[in-house]
Amino acid sequence: MTILVVAEIFEGALRPSTLSTVTAAAAIGGDIHVLVAGKGADSAAAAKIAGVAKVLVADDAAYEHGLAENIAPLVVSLASGYSHVLAPASSFGKNLMPRVAALLDVQQVSDITKVESADTFVRPIYAGNALATVQSTDAIMVVTVRPTAFEAAATTGSAAVEAVSATSASGKISFVGQELSKSDRPELTAARIVISGGRGMGSGENFALLEKVADKLGAAVGASRAAVDAGFVPNDYQVGQTGKVVAPDLYIAVGISGAIQHLAGMKDSKVIVAINKDEEAPIFQVADYGVVGDLFELVPQLEKAL
């Protein structure tokens, strides 16, 4: 049994989500190969992942920007030699893997959080309020892995690197451009500490209170869907079922009531701190530490103490 992990590459660098996906592959068992598709992508980083036997490199301009329409045929061309094809359940994987599954005419197993056996997996349903155990009988299993559910693999390996031929690019899509928000803070899904604000922040200007704390903690700043829908902060701040799923060492929820949608995206955090003036807020049911009070008094006090 051999498993193919499709690496997530951004601007030529390997994303940490790939390391977690390799851990999931190791739980399935068998040899692990990693596919690195990009233009000048860092295949050396993939070769250092512990447990990886081989790195397949498809170096071509068609893969430079991670267009799923171009990468999917490449994955399908390689898939016949593998029992499983895995990718992170990130924007990249959620865009790519359904196309791969459709082209292979198999069903996808999405967003797994645990491996029971080589053909049986656990995945959350109903906004994380229930867990489903699903079994696949497909000859090739196409699986996306929730990165926060698996520890990152070590980078102590020394896998062989092999070049593979690129498939022809899709003529129906081309890369035009991208607008990326730049920040000195860590990326939300990779941060060890996250501080998030909700509707209780009152306005986007008040998120400056959280940013001061974040800068002292080296934390990322997130938000609830209510805060995003209200226009306080951009969409890429959103934590929750329809936003980003995070599991940092410390999660600080400020002015967030704790709707099911938000809890689904952060309840696996190791330590959860909640600040809310409503002592009946659902967020306190999952919090390790809770402070009932006015955030406009408490957050500046926290920032001063730090």
Side-chain angles (χ1 to χ4, degrees), residues 195-201 207 210 251-257 273-276 295-296 299 302:
I195 180 167
S196 290
R199 193 194 302 272
M201 295 302 298
F207 267 77
L210 305 188
Y251 187 88
I252 305 173
V254 181
I256 295 175
S257 63
V273 177
I275 299 174
N276 200 295
L295 70 88
F296 296 106
V299 174
L302 173 61

Side-chain angles (χ1 to χ4, degrees), residues 3-6 21 24-25 28 84-88 97 141 143-145:
I3 302 165
L4 179 65
V5 172
V6 183
T21 306
I28 295 171
H84 300 70
V85 180
L86 273 61
M97 297 301 270
M141 297 180 203
V143 181
T144 58
V145 176

